[in-house]
Structure formats: C-alpha cells, structure tokens
Amino acid sequence: MIDIFLLQWQRLRRRPFMVLAMIAMTVVFIMFIGGSNTGENQSSIPVYVTEEVDTPTQEALMEELQTLEGFRFYLDEWSNMKEEVALGDVVFGVELAAEHYTFLISTENEYQSLVDNHLRTIYQEKLLVDQLTNEVDREALAAELENPPIEVNSETEGIQGSSLNDQLHVLFGMTLFFAIYTIVFSLGEVAEEKQRGSWDRLILSPVRKWQLYVGHVSYAFVIGYLQICFVFLMFAFVFDIMIGASWPAVLLIAACYTLAIVSLGMLLIGLVQKASQLNAVIPLVAVSMAMLGGAYWPLEVVSNNIVRMVAELIPVKHAMEALKDVTMYGESLLDVTQPLAILLLMSVLFMGVGINLMERR
C-alpha cells in the first residue's frame, strides 16, 4: 500500500502540470469572478417613490434608507427599475408610498429580508409620528426616536456588505469545482491500468486488493485535500478574505467533501471501460455538479423544484451549504452535522458501488 501511495507521488513529481494547472485555474477564476461580483450592482437598490409622497418626506425616507450598511439606495423611475429587475441588473427594487412599501422582485433573494426589516422599522416610526395630531407631541416623539434611552447595535454575522458573501461563495464554489478534476484525474491511473490489463496482473500479484485500493484512494484524497486547503489558506492569509474563526470546521468539511469526490471517482472508474472515456466523462460530471450544486451561483436564486431536488443528490451542494453556514452565518460544527453526514453517506455508497463494479469486470 505504501509503495503504491509513494509511486503516485513520484508520478506527480514527474508530471505536476495537471495539479498546478488546477490550482492556477482556481485562483484565476476566483479573482476574475469574485472581483466582478464586488461591483456596486450587487448592493445597489433602485427606489421608486410614488407621487403621493412629498419632497421632504421623500428626502427623509432616502436618508433613513442609506443608514443600512452594505446597500446603496438610489432614486429611479418605475419603468427603469422594472427593466433593471427583469434583466437581472439589480437584485430587486423598492417602491415607496406614503404609508407602505412594495418590493419588485424577479426571484427570491437573501438580502431582501434585511432591507424589509429596515423598511419596516422606518415605516413604523413614521406612522407613529403621523398619528399624533399635536405638533408639539410630534416634535417631542421625533426627538425621542433620535435619542432613544437605550441604544441597540445590531450586527449580522458574516455580512459586511454583500461583496463578502459573494467572494466567499466564489471562493468555495471554484475551489470545490476544480478539486473534482484533480481528485478524479488522480484516480485515472487505475483506469489506465484497467485498459492496459496490468490491473488484472496486480490483482494476481502478492499485493492484496485492499492495499491496491487504499494506495490509490489515499493518494487521491491527500492531493485533493491539500489543493483545497492550499487555496483556502492562500486567499485567507494572502488576499485577506475573511473565512472566519471556524478553521477546524472548514477543514473537516473539506475532508468530508474530498472523501465523497474520491468515492465518486471510484464509481466513475467502475462505470467506464477506458481511460479516454473517463477523460470525457469528468468535465461533464464536474460542470454539471458545479451548476446544479450551487458552485456557480447560490441555490437560493433557483426556484425550480426539480433542480433543487436533484441538487440534494450532489456532494457540492452539501459541502457549499456547510461551508457557508459556518463561515457566513457563524453556525457551529454541530449545526452542520446533517450535510456532513450526507457527504459521508455518499462516500460509502459511491465507494461501495464503484468497487463492486470494478470487481465484476
């Protein structure tokens, strides 16, 4: 087993291009996509004010809106706002009336609830002031609201502007996506040995079967896990992307995900006959899993129930969910037990079926 494990590292030393290329591609895509997602469009919210709102009230509402950190509100015409929402240039728009407000959305968005809570507070205070008929009481209440006896500072975990969430999502998504190539390609030597017939000779040799499997699987796991950890550490300490204080949880999630992808690789090797078939299947599987699993875009924007149901069968989805929960929303390792258990269950299932298919041939 040790000899097979070390042999794979010697092969990597002679041909390191594939692993280095995957790491380079990961860095390039994270910087390109993550950088493009930090633009103002991600947090810029158009606001249309109806004619029933007078100018002083409109100015007061806009001033109150701008106090919400991480968002920039700007006045817009109804037709323009409708077009921007329809084209996806903005996440949603807001219509302000004298006594109520309305959201204009195309799909559900995680930031809508933050703006909704902020608007609800503004309108509750406004309606409370408007109910007073005495001008002196209104001025006194307005003064009390500006200087409350108790000041509460609220902070949303992990959200320091939407750009942080976008950067973390791209970092996790692209890292998990390109790790699929590295892990499954690392197992490609098994497919080549099957094609050459040397795998059958190895089976007949004094080397035991489990040693053969463990030697190849352990190498694929280590190289894939190191790649994921290297990218996370590089962006955390070199590019100052805040992954958070839950590094043990992040590393454990990465280990469970790597194990699931290694098992998936064994399943693919069991299904194909030649190494060329494996090379053709890997991009299809990797891209499909990244798209359906939420590596490219958040699954929160997907409203199709069939797509969301299929995503439950994909390791990327559960790894993304666990990583986002512990880094963006401050949840503990105990809170992400379910996605980790699903990843481990997938690992056992994929590995069992894959080895069974290889033994039957």
Side-chain angles (χ1 to χ4, degrees):
M1 181 188 73
I2 298 298
D3 293 337
I4 295 173
F5 180 77
L6 296 177
L7 176 62
Q8 305 309 313
W9 286 101
Q10 291 177 0
R11 286 172 174 164
L12 174 64
R13 182 172 58 83
R14 290 195 295 267
R15 294 177 294 180
F17 176 77
M18 187 272 294
V19 176
L20 295 178
M22 290 301 108
I23 294 176
M25 292 286 284
T26 305
V27 175
V28 170
F29 271 71
I30 291 173
M31 297 185 70
F32 179 75
I33 301 177
S36 65
N37 282 345
T38 59
E40 292 185 347
N41 284 339
Q42 294 297 316
S43 56
S44 297
I45 309 298
V47 177
Y48 170 71
V49 183
T50 60
E51 296 179 353
E52 64 184 33
V53 180
D54 55 35
T55 303
T57 304
Q58 173 183 315
E59 293 176 352
L61 287 173
M62 292 301 297
E63 185 178 352
E64 289 288 337
L65 278 173
Q66 303 297 353
T67 59
L68 181 61
E69 295 183 0
F71 294 90
R72 185 181 70 86
F73 297 90
Y74 62 94
L75 291 173
D76 201 356
E77 296 295 331
W78 172 258
S79 57
N80 292 338
M81 184 174 73
K82 188 176 180 180
E83 182 178 356
E84 289 173 344
V85 172
L87 295 176
D89 295 335
V90 294
V91 290
F92 55 81
V94 178
E95 181 191 39
L96 300 182
E99 298 182 350
H100 66 276
Y101 59 89
T102 306
F103 281 98
L104 181 64
I105 63 174
S106 58
T107 60
E108 293 184 0
N109 187 276
E110 56 186 314
Y111 306 128
Q112 184 182 342
S113 60
L114 296 175
V115 178
D116 185 35
N117 290 332
H118 187 57
L119 278 169
R120 186 180 297 116
T121 302
I122 294 173
Y123 270 78
Q124 284 176 347
E125 294 179 356
K126 178 179 179 300
L127 292 176
L128 187 61
V129 173
D130 292 342
Q131 288 176 356
L132 299 176
T133 56
N134 190 309
E135 186 64 28
V136 176
D137 293 339
R138 296 176 63 175
E139 292 179 357
L141 179 59
E144 290 292 335
L145 291 174
E146 291 180 357
N147 301 291
I150 299 176
E151 185 175 354
V152 178
N153 294 321
S154 63
E155 181 178 351
T156 304
E157 184 71 29
I159 296 181
Q160 300 175 359
S162 59
S163 60
L164 177 59
N165 278 342
D166 294 332
Q167 287 178 339
L168 281 178
H169 181 89
V170 173
L171 170 61
F172 295 147
M174 291 299 103
T175 304
L176 300 184
F177 169 57
F178 283 104
I180 298 175
Y181 288 93
T182 300
I183 295 170
V184 182
F185 275 128
S186 298
L187 292 169
E189 187 64 28
V190 178
E192 292 182 2
E193 289 181 351
K194 282 177 58 182
Q195 183 177 348
R196 291 194 299 263
S198 56
W199 182 260
D200 295 332
R201 292 195 294 273
L202 285 172
I203 295 296
L204 297 176
S205 69
V207 181
R208 296 181 178 178
K209 285 185 181 179
W210 69 267
Q211 293 177 325
L212 287 174
Y213 287 120
V214 173
H216 285 285
V217 167
S218 58
Y219 165 73
F221 176 85
V222 172
I223 193 67
Y225 187 63
L226 288 178
Q227 176 176 320
I228 294 175
C229 294
F230 174 76
V231 174
F232 284 173
L233 291 170
M234 181 175 62
F235 276 89
F237 295 103
V238 178
F239 296 102
D240 292 330
I241 292 184
M242 294 179 60
I243 292 182
S246 304
W247 274 103
V250 171
L251 297 179
L252 180 60
I253 295 168
C256 294
Y257 171 77
T258 306
L259 183 60
I261 299 302
V262 170
S263 302
L264 178 64
M266 291 299 294
L267 175 61
L268 293 177
I269 292 174
L271 291 173
V272 300
Q273 298 286 345
K274 301 178 180 178
S276 58
Q277 294 176 346
L278 181 65
N279 296 334
V281 168
I282 291 175
L284 296 176
V285 173
V287 173
S288 301
M289 290 203 309
M291 294 177 67
L292 296 173
Y296 289 167
W297 49 73
L299 283 180
E300 289 82 357
V301 303
V302 178
S303 58
N304 190 300
N305 292 329
I306 296 177
V307 174
R308 297 177 71 91
M309 185 172 61
V310 173
E312 297 294 332
L313 307 175
I314 297 176
V316 175
K317 184 263 181 184
H318 300 285
M320 289 290 296
E321 178 184 341
L323 287 171
K324 290 166 69 174
D325 284 347
V326 298
T327 57
M328 296 181 187
Y329 308 119
E331 295 188 2
S332 65
L333 185 60
L334 189 63
D335 297 324
V336 296
T337 303
Q338 181 177 346
L340 293 184
I342 294 175
L343 287 174
L344 294 177
L345 179 62
M346 287 181 174
S347 303
V348 174
L349 182 63
F350 293 157
M351 185 68 73
V353 175
I355 292 178
N356 186 270
L357 289 174
M358 291 186 65
E359 292 296 313
R360 288 187 177 183
R361 292 166 186 265

